[in-house]
Amino acid sequence: MKRERWGSKSIFILAAIGSAVGLGNAWRFPGQAYANGGGAFFIPYFVALLTAGLPLLIMELAIGKKYQSGAPTAFRKMGKKKGFEWIGWWPLATSFVIVSYYAIIMAWTFNYLWHSLSMAWSSGSEDFFYGEVLQLTESPGVLGGFNVPILIGLVLTWIFVWYCIRNGVQSVGKIVKWTVPVPIALLVILGIRALTLPGAMEGINYYLSPNWSKLLDINVWAAAYGQIFFSLSVLFGIMIAYSSFLPEDADVPANGIIIAFSNSIISFIAGFAVFGTLGFLQHSTGILIEDMTVAGPGLAFVTYPAAMAELPGGIWVQVIFSLTFFLMLLTLGIDSAFSIVEGIVTGLVDKFGWNKRKTVTAVCIAGLAGGLIFATNAGLYWLDIVDHWVNDYNLIIIGIVECIVVGWIYGANKLRDYFNSTSNVKFGKWWEIMIKYVTPLSLLVINVLYLVDNLKEAYDGYDMQYLIIGGWGVVLVTIIVGFIFTVLKGKEDTQAS
């Protein structure tokens, strides 16, 4: 069967940028800058981009294009052994877990779009988010039943995801023409508006002012590498799947450079929008920026809405900019969500030869089912635990394994020769050095730091039983699922027998 192809080079780049640019740009990057030295954080961030993010991105794009397959089949072909499939299935199993809880954030966003019409959080954004929207229980062990509005939002999210990729890359191509430029335009609008608000420059100064002493803290460097890994959509199997639909003459290095730097520029712009708004909030409420929540869901659903409720111009101005903000979050998130599903679907279709549309439907239904625990009143706790372990352990170890396989077993020099052969941008030996030494070592250091932190004290004060179930337990399940799909017979095995 003839492989699908992107409609054009620009559509592929848009899709890849859409996958890379997500909620990590809108709230994780500003939060990392806030916590790790302000303007000084940009130095380790760009070092991490050049020494790890870009090399890994180029590696995965080249693997997908060379083997014209999703991650499992591509690694099987690369190693010429069935056991190498596991290196592709493990990230896809991890991706499935991630998209299961990523979708719940979209569900929250759907609810906030509705509540934006009345600015329902005006009397207190923190109580509104944790009390009225999430109806949060006292611990992960008290599920409290399903949160019906969130459950409805979750169903809507999966319907959107299914619609976006129901016809493979052809439907993705049509969707990303809107879902990539629209949130970027909305982000620019929010940034311009933020810069015109009283007090905005105090926030921008906080964002850009460097605390150089932070550069001596190894944890700041670890945070920078972590931000790069988690915001470029590498190690998920996504970029391998997306690049498998490229023609043989595609320029991998040029595409990778465009994708990587577009992602970083958008993160930088998001920082201006966020910190300009935080400066205004400090000006209007007297709450110092250093005392605000500037990370994760707290930024998007507590601090930013509080600022929207203070905007001058009356209720209609507040409603318009609240709708703009949450529409931006929704469109940023939906691209990343459906790209993860596309990576999983591509891996399944390539191995088993299943009908793609039916596979998309099945994966979406499974993703909805897998995310049900996050739609309970204890959902935020479980999201926090699962996200911490899956991101801070699974993805990092996957990166180390991929670097070892490509750098030392297959040969980084062979892959470099391959992608250079069709590129106007030639990568030198430095790329091999990154893949063989710098990237895996940096990943190993980050993983050890995270492990030490979690051994010293229970993560976020949760009871150990919940960390074992939602943390180590989920990690183990992804590893086992990877092995199960590796040993299952695929279409090639059936033909061979």
Side-chain angles (χ1 to χ4, degrees):
M1 185 173 63
K2 188 177 180 181
R3 193 162 190 82
E4 295 178 89
R5 291 282 178 245
W6 294 106
S8 67
K9 172 187 173 181
S10 60
I11 292 297
F12 162 71
I13 291 176
L14 275 177
I17 291 173
S19 175
V21 176
L23 300 179
N25 303 74
W27 71 43
R28 199 175 192 275
F29 179 83
Q32 292 291 354
Y34 172 86
N36 294 293
F41 179 72
F42 301 151
I43 293 176
Y45 174 84
F46 280 107
V47 170
L49 174 65
L50 295 175
T51 61
L54 184 59
L56 278 174
L57 178 60
I58 297 298
M59 181 185 77
E60 294 201 337
L61 292 176
I63 290 171
K65 195 195 89 164
K66 179 176 176 63
Y67 294 105
Q68 296 287 290
S69 304
T73 304
F75 277 105
R76 177 176 179 171
K77 291 177 178 178
M78 174 179 284
K80 298 180 181 178
K81 293 180 181 179
K82 187 173 181 178
F84 274 61
E85 266 191 45
W86 175 75
I87 303 168
W89 285 118
W90 186 19
L92 293 192
T94 301
S95 295
F96 178 82
V97 173
I98 290 172
V99 79
S100 295
Y101 67 73
Y102 199 87
I104 209 70
I105 301 174
M106 300 297 95
W108 300 346
T109 307
F110 270 116
N111 275 265
Y112 266 77
L113 277 171
W114 170 255
H115 291 302
S116 292
L117 297 174
S118 61
M119 296 298 292
W121 57 80
S122 295
S123 59
S125 60
E126 187 168 2
D127 289 341
F128 180 77
F129 179 54
Y130 296 110
E132 293 189 42
V133 175
L134 299 186
Q135 300 172 31
L136 196 62
T137 60
E138 60 268 25
S139 79
V142 183
L143 294 180
F146 286 118
N147 185 322
V148 176
I150 299 301
L151 187 59
I152 293 171
L154 184 63
V155 172
L156 286 174
T157 298
W158 280 107
I159 290 173
F160 268 68
V161 170
W162 174 86
Y163 181 80
C164 290
I165 62 171
R166 69 195 187 286
N167 294 324
V169 296
Q170 295 305 313
S171 56
V172 169
K174 294 176 182 177
I175 295 294
V176 296
K177 290 178 182 178
W178 296 98
T179 56
V180 175
V182 165
I184 294 173
L186 295 178
L187 181 60
V188 170
I189 291 170
L190 289 169
I192 292 172
R193 177 54 179 153
L195 293 176
T196 64
L197 294 170
M201 288 304 107
E202 294 176 36
I204 300 303
N205 185 58
Y206 194 100
Y207 175 45
L208 298 179
S209 296
N211 180 354
W212 299 116
S213 64
K214 285 284 191 177
L215 295 180
L216 301 176
D217 185 350
I218 187 65
N219 290 295
V220 172
W221 289 84
Y225 276 86
Q227 174 64 25
I228 287 295
F229 297 138
F230 306 144
S231 70
L232 274 181
S233 288
V234 291
L235 312 178
F236 288 78
I238 298 170
M239 291 304 174
I240 295 177
Y242 269 14
S243 62
S244 74
F245 304 118
L246 285 171
E248 291 292 336
D249 61 347
D251 190 331
V252 165
N255 289 340
I257 290 169
I258 293 170
I259 294 163
F261 282 93
S262 295
N263 174 71
S264 295
I265 290 169
I266 293 167
S267 294
F268 192 64
I269 293 172
F272 280 95
V274 167
F275 279 91
T277 304
L278 297 183
F280 162 70
L281 187 60
Q282 176 179 265
H283 174 85
S284 59
T285 66
I287 301 172
L288 297 177
I289 294 177
E290 52 263 38
D291 296 328
M292 297 178 189
T293 302
V294 190
L299 171 62
F301 298 101
V302 177
T303 305
Y304 216 94
M308 294 296 101
E310 296 291 331
L311 285 177
I315 184 68
W316 286 111
V317 171
Q318 296 166 3
V319 166
I320 289 170
F321 280 96
S322 293
L323 287 171
T324 300
F325 176 71
F326 289 109
L327 182 60
M328 179 200 70
L329 285 189
L330 188 65
T331 47
L332 279 177
I334 207 73
D335 277 338
S336 298
F338 71 63
S339 70
I340 294 174
V341 175
E342 179 62 38
I344 297 168
V345 168
T346 300
L348 292 169
V349 171
D350 283 348
K351 172 157 185 172
F352 300 107
W354 295 341
N355 175 276
K356 186 154 190 176
R357 188 164 182 142
K358 291 180 180 179
T359 306
V360 169
T361 303
V363 172
C364 288
I365 292 172
L368 172 61
L372 289 177
I373 189 170
F374 306 114
T376 66
N377 294 335
L380 179 62
Y381 298 127
W382 289 107
L383 185 154
D384 186 28
I385 294 169
V386 174
D387 175 67
H388 178 71
W389 255 262
V390 169
N391 271 310
D392 292 355
Y393 293 103
N394 265 22
L395 289 181
I396 290 175
I397 299 174
I398 288 167
I400 295 171
V401 172
E402 284 190 11
C403 287
I404 292 172
V405 169
V406 174
W408 295 95
I409 299 176
Y410 174 78
N413 59 317
K414 289 197 294 184
L415 194 61
R416 180 173 70 92
D417 289 343
Y418 167 74
F419 64 68
N420 273 346
S421 67
T422 57
S423 176
N424 294 318
V425 182
K426 309 295 184 184
F427 276 26
K429 293 281 290 185
W430 70 269
W431 184 83
E432 295 175 38
I433 294 170
M434 295 301 135
I435 292 298
K436 292 179 72 173
Y437 304 104
V438 177
T439 303
L441 285 174
S442 62
L443 285 166
L444 182 62
V445 169
I446 294 170
N447 198 251
V448 169
L449 287 173
Y450 285 145
L451 184 61
V452 169
D453 282 346
N454 282 286
L455 290 177
K456 285 194 297 187
E457 58 182 275
Y459 172 66
D460 258 15
Y462 291 114
D463 289 346
M464 186 55 65
Q465 59 180 325
Y466 305 128
L467 300 181
I468 292 174
I469 295 170
W472 298 116
V474 171
V475 168
L476 183 61
V477 166
T478 61
I479 294 171
I480 293 172
V481 168
F483 277 117
I484 290 173
F485 275 91
T486 299
V487 300
L488 288 175
K489 283 190 175 183
K491 60 182 181 181
E492 292 183 8
D493 300 307
T494 304
Q495 291 168 358
S497 60

